[in-house]
Amino acid sequence: MKQSYPPTQVEILRVLYFSESSQNAVDLQNTLAMRDMPLDPRTVRYHLSSLEELGLIERSGKRRVELTEKGIEEAKMLFV
């Protein structure tokens, strides 16, 4: 069964999938704002925590996140 995600989480997955490097919450917040999705930093962190609980992202280094293998597979299903 295909998982359903809130629009904000879909956009975060999109940014991470098409990004060439890991991102931090501020990077994501700025990118989402440029895509007409202005969010409070706490909201971005909330969605990141939710995605981490689902096993789609993992923390790496200084507050940065990146897609896991599961996250990459899920993103491929969503965006390709």
Side-chain angles (χ1 to χ4, degrees), residues 16-78:
L16 291 172
Y17 182 70
F18 291 106
S19 170
E20 295 182 6
S21 63
S22 61
Q23 303 283 310
N24 63 33
V26 173
D27 295 335
L28 290 167
Q29 179 188 9
N30 292 335
T31 301
L32 293 171
M34 288 189 293
R35 296 178 181 191
D36 293 326
M37 291 187 85
L39 298 171
D40 185 79
R42 287 179 292 172
T43 304
V44 174
R45 288 192 301 272
Y46 166 79
H47 286 294
L48 291 175
S49 292
S50 295
L51 291 169
E52 187 175 26
E53 287 175 13
L54 293 170
L56 301 178
I57 66 168
E58 63 186 2
R59 309 272 174 183
S60 66
K62 296 184 178 190
R63 300 182 185 188
R64 301 185 78 75
V65 296
E66 59 190 12
L67 292 175
T68 61
E69 287 300 318
K70 180 180 176 182
I72 292 168
E73 291 303 315
E74 192 70 17
K76 283 180 184 178
M77 289 188 338
L78 288 169

